[in-house]
Amino acid sequence: MARRVYIETFGCQMNAVDSARMLTLLGTADYRPAESLSDADLVLLNTCSIREKADQKIYSALGRLRRWKREREGRLVAVGGCLAQQEGTALRKRASHIDIVFGTHSIAFLPDLVRLAEGQGAPVSTDLTGDTSHWDVLPYLADGAVSAMVTIMQGCDNDCAYCIVPHVRGPEISRPSREILNEIRELAERGVREVVLLGQNVNSYGKKEGEIPFPELLRRISRIRNILRIRFITSNPRDLDRETIRLFSEIESLCPHVHLPIQAGSERVLSSMGRGYTREEYFGKVEDLRKARPGIAFSSDFIVGFPGETEADFQDTLSVMEEVRFDSSFSFRFSPRAGTRGAAMAETVSKEEASDRLTRLQTLQARHSRDRFAACVGKEVEVLVEGKSAKDPDRLCGRTPCYKTVNFSPVTEGQEAVRRVRIRSAGHHSLSGEEGGPRG
Ligand code: SF4
């Protein structure tokens, strides 16, 4: 009888697409998705270690699983992802009920690790081997999915002072473009109309493997039939080049939304972080993108309380936000990560001061987001329908090309993937409207 697996995913989209691959892989070991934790024989935590808080979340989840495991003979606990990569066997010292520990380069071995564990083994596999054979496995795709994430590379060769990624995902490895294009063609045949290209630094795609450069990859993807929308995440502003920027004026299916993490607004802090670009260079790229694609939207990442950050430095961060007006942003207090340069820096900003700065930043962002959403009222937008609205099953939900969520009342019964919607009102994080008529 098939056994059931329940995967809990922490952290970024890269982890989300890895979890979808793990689901497909475990299918080869006769595991099926479980509806709920109580229904499962195997629980897999796909972990993140980007901040201290992420670790704490995982250890409290592991605490809960100790009782879950005792409830039924033969249940297994597996831990994968970045924290497993970072901690390895040490994880077991804190949670002896863990059966399997596997790192970010060991995903392909998962079925064997599970079989070993079922056979009373207690496997651990965390070598940063560079093994990416799990990329050949098509991620599990829910029925009717119109959007899919596609990994194009893993790891990062940059060394930003606060960042654990190069230590847990390893150096940059780009996936062969042939494989990426084949996967996207297959996804298009299965009804996918939007692809989100994933990598920790997508603009460096192909640089080491003599592969085609990132702009050429985007061009080739734009020629695949039925792929109506292309997005990519994440870009390091330093590596975002002129040719990629120019493509926003050439390729209509390249969505007018860029996630461009700046992290801080002060030149001094940017240099101390080792980000590799200046505030002015960042503004220059934003300006070039706006010329290439008028109306393009931006989101970003911010860290407050980085060692040495003064109130004046923080004011520089707020002024960047006033200058660019991001649709949304992810923002966090600096969290020293073992093994990074930042961990060796003296912390000069108290937790209270950092929390106060975070609140001020998020308050400003909320105002900017509200304004950006309110500016859509009265406009007609194209929405890629993702399914029924969570708020009201009689309505549909989807996203605009600028990545804004829209809930709307459909008028046509048709199955068109993209609908034209007249926006009637705006909330903090979504828009509401009614269908204007099928796309031409
Ligand atoms: S570019 Fe991004 S992933 Fe790479 S080290 Fe910097 S923050 Fe981390």
Side-chain angles (χ1 to χ4, degrees):
M1 210 194 43
R3 286 168 59 81
R4 299 273 163 191
V5 57
Y6 185 82
I7 300 184
E8 205 169 333
T9 303
F10 298 82
C12 66
Q13 282 108 327
M14 183 71 87
N15 263 10
V17 79
D18 281 347
S19 291
R21 275 204 175 83
M22 294 172 193
L23 210 46
T24 305
L25 276 166
L26 287 166
T28 66
D30 210 18
Y31 276 83
R32 300 286 169 272
E35 294 298 315
S36 66
L37 184 58
S38 56
D39 180 25
D41 306 292
L42 164 65
V43 167
L44 193 161
L45 302 183
N46 189 8
T47 63
C48 168
S49 64
I50 203 79
R51 270 172 293 280
E52 192 181 355
K53 216 167 175 186
D55 301 3
Q56 288 156 2
K57 271 194 204 156
I58 290 147
Y59 283 115
S60 68
L62 284 167
R64 291 195 304 277
L65 290 173
R66 191 183 288 280
R67 197 175 42 255
W68 171 86
K69 194 176 173 191
R70 277 202 294 265
E71 284 164 4
R72 197 160 79 215
E73 180 70 22
R75 278 182 160 172
L76 296 173
V77 175
V79 181
C82 294
L83 187 68
Q85 182 64 51
Q86 189 183 357
E87 301 292 322
T89 47
L91 268 175
R92 275 228 183 90
K93 293 206 182 77
R94 287 186 63 172
S96 58
H97 56 296
I98 298 172
D99 299 287
I100 303 163
V101 177
F102 65 102
T104 54
H105 290 228
S106 306
I107 296 171
F109 311 145
L110 190 52
D112 300 334
L113 297 171
V114 169
R115 289 190 194 96
L116 203 57
E118 285 169 346
Q120 303 311 318
V124 174
S125 171
T126 56
D127 309 341
L128 265 183
T129 60
D131 183 286
T132 55
S133 53
H134 62 282
W135 281 345
D136 305 342
V137 176
L138 204 63
Y140 179 85
L141 191 69
D143 293 345
V146 293
S147 181
M149 297 184 275
V150 177
T151 304
I152 66 167
M153 65 187 297
Q154 170 165 308
C156 187
D157 291 352
N158 293 317
D159 179 29
C160 303
Y162 53 82
C163 187
I164 194 74
V165 170
H167 307 268
V168 289
R169 289 273 177 182
E172 285 167 11
I173 307 171
S174 294
R175 194 175 170 202
S177 55
R178 180 180 36 74
E179 281 181 24
I180 297 168
L181 296 167
N182 287 345
E183 180 173 327
I184 295 175
R185 286 190 197 95
E186 173 147 359
L187 289 168
E189 272 149 35
R190 292 169 65 176
V192 166
R193 295 292 170 263
E194 172 185 89
V195 288
V196 183
L197 309 180
L198 288 186
Q200 271 88 24
N201 187 14
V202 292
N203 305 101
S204 293
Y205 173 81
K207 287 195 175 142
K208 290 198 295 187
E209 295 80 3
E211 254 293 348
I212 56 175
F214 186 57
E216 181 53 27
L217 179 67
L218 290 173
R219 273 199 198 88
R220 294 188 188 184
I221 293 169
S222 71
R223 297 187 201 119
I224 296 176
R225 233 166 65 76
N226 290 330
I227 292 298
L228 308 176
R229 291 185 177 184
I230 305 168
R231 303 182 187 278
F232 55 82
I233 191 166
T234 294
S235 294
N236 179 318
R238 169 177 49 195
D239 303 308
L240 177 65
D241 59 21
R242 289 193 175 293
E243 199 183 342
T244 303
I245 291 174
R246 201 179 39 252
L247 286 184
F248 281 89
S249 64
E250 288 172 23
I251 301 178
E252 201 212 334
S253 57
L254 191 52
C255 290
H257 168 259
V258 175
H259 183 67
L260 204 57
I262 187 170
Q263 304 296 358
S266 140
E267 300 291 13
R268 213 171 52 76
V269 174
L270 285 172
S271 147
S272 170
M273 284 177 168
R275 288 292 284 166
Y277 52 81
T278 64
R279 197 185 144 91
E280 292 320 307
E281 285 162 345
Y282 185 89
F283 286 152
K285 301 210 173 178
V286 167
E287 223 30 60
D288 292 347
L289 282 160
R290 283 188 166 142
K291 283 198 198 97
R293 192 69 164 271
I296 193 167
F298 293 93
S299 56
S300 195
D301 296 345
F302 292 98
I303 291 175
V304 300
F306 187 75
E309 183 190 68
T310 63
E311 177 57 27
D313 292 322
F314 177 63
Q315 288 300 325
D316 285 343
T317 297
L318 298 180
S319 68
V320 161
M321 296 172 72
E322 291 288 2
E323 179 72 27
V324 178
R325 300 283 166 142
F326 298 98
D327 270 29
S328 63
S329 63
F330 302 97
S331 48
F332 308 93
R333 280 184 305 152
F334 170 68
S335 172
R337 308 308 295 147
T340 64
R341 287 184 297 112
M345 295 178 176
E347 285 196 62
T348 60
V349 184
S350 69
K351 277 203 172 24
E352 298 65 36
E353 180 56 37
S355 298
D356 170 63
R357 288 177 188 172
L358 190 60
T359 305
R360 285 188 276 155
L361 186 149
Q362 291 173 345
T363 305
L364 180 60
Q365 182 58 62
R367 180 158 58 78
H368 290 166
S369 300
R370 241 191 341 271
D371 296 348
R372 300 279 303 173
F373 277 75
C376 300
V377 175
K379 290 204 177 120
E380 190 161 87
V381 295
E382 295 206 340
V383 175
L384 176 65
V385 179
E386 292 173 0
K388 289 202 175 311
S389 166
K391 292 180 180 161
D392 173 349
D394 296 333
R395 305 185 86 204
L396 295 178
C397 180
R399 287 186 190 267
T400 69
C402 287
Y403 208 58
K404 291 185 177 68
T405 299
V406 180
N407 294 290
F408 69 96
S409 313
V411 288
T412 59
E413 293 305 314
Q415 293 306 310
E416 289 82 10
V418 175
R419 310 282 185 97
R420 287 208 322 260
V421 175
R422 169 84 43 201
I423 302 301
R424 295 294 180 211
S425 63
H428 289 277
H429 305 294
S430 66
L431 300 168
S432 178
E434 63 238 6
E435 188 174 3
R439 183 172 177 220

